[in-house]
Amino acid sequence: MDAIGSIHSDIKVFQAKIEDTESVLQLLVRTAEWLRSKGSKQWNGLLHGEDSHQTPEAVKRGEVYLFMQGSLLTGMVMLMQQESAWDRGLWGEEGHESSVYLHRLNINREAAGKGLGEAIVRWADSGIHFPGKDRIRLDCIASNAKLNSFYLRCGYEFKGSATNDVSTFNKYEKLCTFM
């Protein structure tokens, strides 16, 4: 598998392949378990087999990116060029044609505390190119002040809140230079 980029000096970026799906799902579930241990219900559906972002299908479409330090999966992110039903529910019907949607950013707890989250977000908005797209949109649970502050520090602009049957989410957007 050939790297498509790197973050930090020793972490390479790869586009996930179908054979990576199980590792990706395991990382997501481990992160959901860690969140639960911290008192958060964020990503709780993953613990019950519910995946609102259809991760296996996203891997097949080439929308999942892995961050590897040697053989250790240190993190991942999903970058969707088409809005999902989830995104339409939160963002409404406007602006989808020019947007990439960032979902499922997560860091392996074994590699946490090294600034990987910010490095992955910065890579997503400048290290990869999507023709015809000029912005990244994302949402995060409104009640997680630390996560909301993180996206603001990464240069994302708050675009309001939206509520669905899961919770209330804050929406963020960043103009990028994908062209």
Side-chain angles (χ1 to χ4, degrees), residues 29 43-55 104 166:
V29 168
W43 294 10
N44 209 33
L46 290 165
L47 301 175
H48 307 291
E50 301 163 13
D51 182 1
S52 60
H53 295 301
Q54 293 88 31
T55 303
R104 297 295 193 213
V166 176

Side-chain angles (χ1 to χ4, degrees), residues 4 11-12 36-37 49 57 60 67-68 71 84-85 94 114 119 121 126 133 135-136 141 145-146 149 153:
I4 60 171
I11 297 178
K12 303 237 180 284
R36 182 178 59 188
S37 78
E57 291 82 0
K60 288 178 189 170
F67 299 81
M68 305 289 299
S71 61
S84 65
E94 299 297 316
K114 300 175 186 170
V121 170
S126 64
K133 306 293 184 177
R135 68 196 66 221
I136 293 182
I141 198 155
K146 186 175 180 181
S149 176
R153 275 194 327 274

Side-chain angles (χ1 to χ4, degrees), residues 143-177:
S143 61
N144 186 330
K146 186 175 180 181
L147 188 57
N148 282 270
S149 176
F150 167 78
Y151 286 119
L152 289 169
R153 275 194 327 274
C154 288
Y156 282 76
E157 182 181 348
F158 177 71
K159 292 295 196 176
S161 298
T163 301
N164 63 18
D165 59 344
V166 176
S167 191
T168 298
F169 294 86
N170 286 341
K171 302 179 293 183
Y172 293 92
E173 184 176 88
K174 184 175 187 180
L175 295 178
C176 301
T177 55

Side-chain angles (χ1 to χ4, degrees), residues 64-160:
V64 176
Y65 298 88
L66 309 179
F67 299 81
M68 305 289 299
Q69 184 175 31
S71 61
L72 178 65
L73 175 57
T74 60
M76 64 158 284
V77 70
M78 186 181 294
L79 297 172
M80 300 171 58
Q81 293 185 63
Q82 285 290 127
E83 77 279 6
S84 65
W86 175 273
D87 298 316
R88 280 190 307 280
L90 293 179
W91 288 90
E93 296 302 321
E94 299 297 316
H96 299 296
E97 60 285 338
S98 62
S99 299
V100 171
Y101 292 85
L102 186 150
H103 290 293
R104 297 295 193 213
L105 169 66
N106 94 70
I107 305 302
N108 185 330
R109 294 293 94 206
E110 294 177 43
K114 300 175 186 170
L116 292 178
E118 185 170 343
I120 291 171
V121 170
R122 300 255 184 236
W123 175 85
D125 65 43
S126 64
I128 188 166
H129 302 286
F130 299 101
K133 306 293 184 177
D134 68 358
R135 68 196 66 221
I136 293 182
R137 286 179 167 180
L138 61 88
D139 62 83
C140 68
I141 198 155
S143 61
N144 186 330
K146 186 175 180 181
L147 188 57
N148 282 270
S149 176
F150 167 78
Y151 286 119
L152 289 169
R153 275 194 327 274
C154 288
Y156 282 76
E157 182 181 348
F158 177 71
K159 292 295 196 176

